[in-house]
Amino acid sequence: TFRKNLDGPKENKTDSDRLDDPLLWGSIPFKCFLSLHRVRWTLGAQEICFTTPALSRFFSLGQVIPTVRGAGIYQPAMNFALDRLNEGKW
């Protein structure tokens, strides 16, 4: 007998979240990473992205601003980001 699926379509949100960033970055032409003026500044959690000298160097070269989570908007990272925005480099 034919039964209607009353649950609706199944979606596994976790799997699609893991693919978003790698697919996004993988679709950007490599030449875009060779000129720093083409790479946008972004905020990154200091306690995650800047835990070792190697990670600090890697994320700094990618124009990631170390931000302290939970410190609010009045912190040096936000001032730095605002300066980049005012300079038109965001």
Side-chain angles (χ1 to χ4, degrees):
T1 63
F2 177 75
R3 285 184 55 193
K4 228 179 183 181
N5 183 358
L6 300 177
D7 294 336
K10 301 286 185 201
E11 181 179 345
N12 190 344
K13 186 86 171 115
T14 307
D15 288 343
S16 65
D17 289 347
R18 279 187 245 145
L19 292 177
D20 288 346
D21 289 340
L23 289 176
L24 176 66
W25 287 105
S27 66
I28 298 173
F30 185 71
K31 68 179 180 179
C32 291
F33 298 107
L34 298 177
S35 300
L36 287 181
H37 72 276
R38 290 184 175 180
V39 179
R40 289 183 160 213
W41 288 93
T42 189
L43 302 172
Q46 183 174 357
E47 67 273 14
I48 296 172
C49 299
F50 295 86
T51 55
T52 66
L55 285 175
S56 296
R57 179 100 171 125
F58 175 79
F59 285 109
S60 294
L61 289 173
Q63 296 190 349
V64 176
I65 304 166
T67 309
V68 179
R69 296 191 308 181
I73 61 170
Y74 301 106
Q75 60 176 295
M78 297 305 290
N79 293 336
F80 183 83
L82 186 58
D83 290 342
R84 298 298 78 76
L85 181 63
N86 289 333
E87 293 170 0
K89 294 182 179 178
W90 199 274

